[in-house]
Amino acid sequence: DSVAQGRKIKCRLCTKVLKKIQALAGDDPDESAVQAALQKGCRALGRAVGKRCQQLVSKYRDQISEGLQNGDLPQDICAAIGLCTS
């Protein structure tokens, strides 16, 4: 089913992006650390993925930022914004 396939790809992208951002933000990041990581994270993923990363980050910035500050796992944040099934 192509819808399920598309969702899997979005989920993988979301998880990959958030793992990168989480690594850049460090342990127990504050809001400014998360914002800086959001900026750098997409650039670090290359141009093709970086563009989709930017779209993802701009659309879900608040949820991503809050999730990372709460110490949520990338998979859980992606599920919370509806890109992964929990």
Side-chain angles (χ1 to χ4, degrees), residues 31-53:
E31 193 170 344
S32 63
V34 171
Q35 294 306 324
L38 288 171
Q39 293 293 312
K40 274 189 245 157
C42 291
R43 264 185 261 135
L45 291 166
R47 201 177 327 172
V49 176
K51 193 169 184 165
R52 284 189 291 189
C53 174

Side-chain angles (χ1 to χ4, degrees), residues 19-77:
K19 281 181 180 165
K20 185 72 179 168
I21 290 168
Q22 191 176 45
L24 287 167
D27 295 331
D28 197 25
D30 61 11
E31 193 170 344
S32 63
V34 171
Q35 294 306 324
L38 288 171
Q39 293 293 312
K40 274 189 245 157
C42 291
R43 264 185 261 135
L45 291 166
R47 201 177 327 172
V49 176
K51 193 169 184 165
R52 284 189 291 189
C53 174
Q54 289 288 356
Q55 293 166 341
L56 181 85
V57 165
S58 63
K59 191 170 182 182
Y60 301 109
R61 179 179 295 275
D62 294 342
Q63 294 99 315
I64 292 170
S65 181
E66 193 176 313
L68 290 172
Q69 288 176 69
N70 290 342
D72 297 343
L73 296 172
Q75 180 77 23
D76 295 339
I77 298 169

